[in-house]
Amino acid sequence: MDMLGALAGGFATALTPQNLLYAFIGVLLGTGVGVLPGIGPALTISLLLPVTFGLDPVPAFIMFGGIYYGAMYGGSTTSILVNTPGESSSVVTAIDGYQMAKRGRAGAALATAAIGSFVAGTIATVGLMIGAVALVGLAVRIGPPEYFAIMILALLSVTGLSGSSVPKALFATAFGLALGLVGMDNQTGQLRMTFGISELEDGIDVVLGAIGLFAVGEVFWVASTWRAQQDEERQTLRGPARMTRDEFGRSIAPWMRGSVIGFIIGVLPGAGAAISSFMSYAVERRVSKHPLEFGKGAIEGVAGPEASNNAAAGGNLVPLLGLGIPGSGTTAVMIAAFQIYGLQPGPLLFDQRPDLVWGLIASLYIANVALLILNLPLVGLWVKLLDIPKPLLYAGILVVSAVGVYSIDRRPSDLAVVFALGVLGFLMRRYDYPIAPLLLGLVLGPLIDLNFRRGMIMTDGSVLTLLARPGTAAILAAGLILVLVPQLVRLYGRVSGRRELASLGEIDD
Amino acid sequence: MTLRHPDAIGGLAVVALGVVVLAGALTTPDAQFGVVGPAVLPSVFGILVVLSGLWLTAVSLRADPPVIEALDARPLTLAVTAVALYFAAFVPLGFIVSSVAFFFGLSWILGSRAVLRDAVASVGFVLALYVLFERLLTVDLPGGVLPL
């Protein structure tokens, strides 16, 4: 079979000793940075981007596979041992994981998270391979209007799912899109929204967005809430990270269910790992024989969500690799990684650089195995990272951020942009505006602009003809459903007093 | 009906941002090329930003103000100043000098008082990064005042 042959080729690329080493380094770095409190996967990848600058594309992407899965996994350690999870996709893990740690079962919670991530990562990578190839097959038959519609769908769903306040999410999305269009228009060469500042002519790189909004914004936020941050509860890990036979048995079904839920949600543009882990938690509590244990340290409440957020990470890569459209803040940053090498993910890349695409997919399998091999023995090391004093940690993050920003184009003005975005990120965080849609908009802005204008040429300038194409109409209808259903579920939850429904998806990536 | 509500003020700030976007969009020269000009989507996004701000203000005037944690103004002001100075000095002073000073300074601002440890950590961390990026990864960092 064609796909298996291509995958074998990918493994042949990835399994050279040198590339294998890069995969392992990627996993180590991704997990290590991902473990640090307050650093989510999108920021982890942004901070580690410069590490790959000196490499050729193939080893760089193999390393990226490791960084990506490592970053996704890293948050679980923090949420189990510290009651304040660093990123939203680990919030759910913290509920029962932290309770388990308090009962002295931190080792079991870490083990179920690690093995669950492995199971989920493997299932999701198989799904990714099949899904991305299927999308590539589909992609040759769709044109700019459909691409435009899919991106609108991604934005609609990220806006609709990302927070309780629709106007705030709308602002984040629209402003992100506008920022994405700053700079030279690549179709006419006109300068847009640069206000005469020549440094803005090349536009605003998504890495600047991620580092400004997440790293600098986070440090300002930490500084502003300093007194409240001092009292942090931490649990220690006693003994090895291992489960009892009973705990293992109770974890298997949640791993499987979590993987399937996570992958499906992950494929949908706009719905990220956070939502899938919430859904998995809700499902586990519903099907559990001992629902009262949930919230007090049920291992299913760790196994399911951890599996699902890793599976969602694999699912997120389907629209990215298959269509070149990022569906989450984290994959938006991944696009930046491709762009640095002058590559655009999508159907063409499968044709032009099969070695790279299949090497990346193969390296995801390898990263998964590496995670399993490294993480359980190294869990003591990850825990030590939590001992770094917070002030030094944040100082270090900002120094690495400055290096990362400067190394993109060696342009001091980029640091000014990052500073401004940091202030914006701080204000948005303080007043509860979702940040992920802004980052996604930043990446999708130029792509939407390009496909909309190309589509309008096809339809001779008629918006109605554009929207009435069968494919476009169907995709946009699906988008409306995606946005409206959670709102209706929330409304139903509020009316019927079911809090877990009322708060569905009130969280952002 | 007052504007004490943070979201009402935020909404007005959003409207202002939207006006800036619109101003940028509408001053884009139209290239008379293709069916849709370069200024069209920026204008649409600018209008959406303005509308979201108006919507937010309207909604918040009818809602109770949310509970927002008290702001620690001093460390925040100091941290913002430190980052601004660091970014401004990054190239003129060079990576090593500016980063060591910033690392130490921000640690102090964020409440660390182990002066000796922080000094050692800042120098060690910055030098390690320098070796990693400049020597191993061939990323060219600004040398600044040091003869590197």
Side-chain angles (χ1 to χ4, degrees), chain B:
Chain B
M1 207 168 75
T2 63
L3 279 184
R4 277 253 185 74
H5 198 296
D7 284 346
I9 299 165
L12 294 179
V14 165
V15 172
L17 270 180
V19 170
V20 173
V21 172
L22 270 176
L26 295 177
T27 50
T28 306
D30 198 339
Q32 304 295 326
F33 173 84
V35 179
V36 178
V40 174
L41 280 193
S43 310
V44 172
F45 299 153
I47 291 168
L48 283 177
V49 173
V50 170
L51 289 180
S52 71
L54 293 175
W55 184 0
L56 183 58
T57 308
V59 171
S60 62
L61 289 177
R62 280 181 281 123
D64 295 328
V67 183
I68 290 178
E69 289 168 65
L71 192 82
D72 238 349
R74 217 178 92 91
L76 174 66
T77 318
L78 289 173
V80 172
T81 312
V83 173
L85 288 176
Y86 175 44
F87 285 178
F90 192 74
V91 175
L93 287 185
F95 166 71
I96 294 181
V97 174
S98 64
S99 300
V100 168
F102 171 75
F103 189 109
F104 186 82
L106 188 67
S107 303
W108 177 274
I109 291 167
L110 292 180
S112 180
R113 291 294 178 269
V115 178
L116 187 64
R117 179 199 69 189
D118 294 356
V120 172
S122 50
V123 173
F125 180 74
V126 170
L127 287 182
L129 271 186
Y130 181 80
V131 170
L132 176 70
F133 280 97
E134 185 85 26
R135 296 288 140 84
L136 294 178
L137 299 169
T138 62
V139 170
D140 195 22
L141 294 170
V145 292
L146 292 183
L148 293 168

Side-chain angles (χ1 to χ4, degrees), chain A residues 35-162:
Chain A
V35 163
L36 300 173
I39 306 191
L43 181 58
T44 302
I45 293 173
S46 303
L47 290 178
L48 289 173
L49 209 51
V51 176
T52 62
F53 281 179
L55 300 175
D56 288 331
V58 172
F61 277 93
I62 284 172
M63 199 159 145
F64 252 100
I67 290 175
Y68 185 68
Y69 270 176
M72 287 291 173
Y73 168 79
S76 68
T77 308
T78 327
S79 45
I80 288 166
L81 294 175
V82 188
N83 204 9
T84 48
E87 63 253 18
S88 52
S89 54
S90 304
V91 167
V92 185
T93 311
I95 303 173
D96 280 275
Y98 184 72
Q99 293 302 323
M100 284 181 72
K102 265 176 112 172
R103 286 195 286 122
R105 299 301 302 153
L110 290 167
T112 199
I115 301 172
S117 298
F118 171 75
V119 171
T122 306
I123 292 175
T125 310
V126 174
L128 157 67
M129 197 170 69
I130 296 167
V133 170
L135 270 189
V136 167
L138 197 68
V140 294
R141 273 180 281 149
I142 66 177
E146 286 78 19
Y147 271 103
F148 169 71
I150 293 169
M151 286 183 259
I152 296 292
L153 174 132
L155 288 170
L156 278 176
S157 49
V158 85
T159 307
L161 293 172
S162 67

Side-chain angles (χ1 to χ4, degrees), chain A residues 173-192:
Chain A
T173 311
F175 192 62
L177 288 166
L179 284 183
L181 295 185
V182 168
M184 190 179 288
D185 168 29
N186 53 17
Q187 290 169 73
T188 61
Q190 298 291 339
L191 293 178
R192 294 195 279 192

Side-chain angles (χ1 to χ4, degrees), chain A residues 251-424:
Chain A
S251 295
I252 294 174
W255 289 336
M256 295 301 164
R257 282 190 291 263
S259 301
V260 174
I261 292 170
F263 181 75
I264 292 172
I265 304 248
V267 170
L268 298 176
I275 290 158
S276 77
S277 60
F278 270 87
M279 299 236 343
S280 165
Y281 190 80
V283 167
E284 292 312 323
R285 188 165 49 184
R286 175 65 40 92
V287 302
S288 170
K289 289 191 209 87
H290 19 75
L292 290 178
E293 249 185 66
F294 277 77
K296 301 193 186 78
I299 196 164
E300 292 90 342
V302 179
E306 270 307 302
S308 90
N309 85 43
N310 267 57
N316 277 173
L317 291 178
V318 172
L320 181 77
L321 290 181
L323 296 174
I325 298 175
S328 67
T330 311
T331 42
V333 179
M334 286 290 277
I335 278 232
F338 282 92
Q339 285 167 349
I340 282 167
Y341 291 96
L343 302 166
Q344 182 65 44
L348 276 179
L349 201 63
F350 271 86
D351 272 348
Q352 293 165 349
R353 296 298 306 268
D355 57 326
L356 198 148
V357 178
W358 290 100
L360 174 65
I361 292 175
S363 73
L364 290 174
Y365 286 104
I366 295 169
N368 245 319
V369 177
L371 270 175
L372 190 68
I373 297 174
L374 293 176
N375 279 334
L376 290 179
L378 287 184
V379 75
L381 178 69
W382 304 140
V383 173
K384 284 231 169 55
L385 287 176
L386 296 175
D387 288 334
I388 300 173
K390 285 278 178 61
L392 301 190
L393 176 68
Y394 289 115
I397 290 171
L398 282 199
V399 171
V400 174
S401 297
V403 173
V405 169
Y406 183 76
S407 62
I408 298 173
D409 279 324
R410 293 190 181 74
R411 211 165 26 191
S413 64
D414 283 349
L415 289 166
V417 172
V418 165
F419 177 77
L421 289 170
V423 172
L424 180 67

